[in-house]
Amino acid sequence: MIKYTEDHEWINVEGDIAVVGITHHAQDALGDVVFVDLPEIGKSFAQKDVAGVVESVKAAADVYMPVSGEIVEVNEDLRNDPALANTDPLGKGWFFKVKLSNASEVDALLDETAYNTFTG
């Protein structure tokens, strides 16, 4: 189940673990991504906290936590090749995995139709 935020993150929830990245819309707006700052494994964040940064040739943007939880994994491939955020933002360009601390927060996020209307 993939959901979206109005800050242009996506989240794919699988049980109590969720994968987070930036959307196609976000990477289009940023342009060529040249650097990502990923959160520390083991660090906990509240929903909407800044968990990382993505920098492109023309801008930098914060990456916000779509839900509250603890970082359990980061994408080292993305750290080594930030362009993955452009070439495969919903696949190999994921940013981090989070163990959900409040699964009900997912319910308030946008589904694909609502996100497409929002970015329309």
Side-chain angles (χ1 to χ4, degrees), residues 1 8 11 15 29 34 42-44 65 70-77 82 96 106 110 113:
M1 167 184 57
H8 309 291
I11 179 170
V34 295
K43 187 167 182 182
S44 292
M65 285 295 288
E70 178 186 342
I71 303 300
V72 295
E73 187 177 343
V74 296
N75 187 350
E76 293 296 340
D77 290 340
F96 52 84
V106 174
L110 304 172
T113 301

Side-chain angles (χ1 to χ4, degrees), residues 13-47:
V13 179
E14 298 172 358
D16 66 344
I17 302 293
V19 182
V20 176
I22 62 171
T23 64
H24 280 286
H25 179 85
Q27 68 85 24
D28 279 343
L30 284 166
D32 294 335
V33 175
V34 295
F35 175 78
V36 294
D37 182 23
L38 301 173
E40 292 178 38
I41 294 173
K43 187 167 182 182
S44 292
F45 294 91
Q47 186 178 38

Side-chain angles (χ1 to χ4, degrees), residues 54-112:
V54 58
E55 295 181 12
S56 72
V57 293
K58 63 181 182 179
D62 291 330
V63 177
Y64 297 95
M65 285 295 288
V67 294
S68 302
E70 178 186 342
I71 303 300
V72 295
E73 187 177 343
V74 296
N75 187 350
E76 293 296 340
D77 290 340
L78 180 65
R79 191 187 316 263
N80 296 328
D81 184 7
L84 289 171
N86 294 116
T87 59
D88 194 9
L90 297 175
K92 293 179 182 176
W94 62 275
F95 278 56
F96 52 84
K97 294 183 181 180
V98 58
K99 182 176 169 90
L100 305 177
S101 60
N102 183 356
S104 67
E105 291 174 341
V106 174
D107 298 336
L109 300 176
L110 304 172
D111 63 19
E112 185 173 6

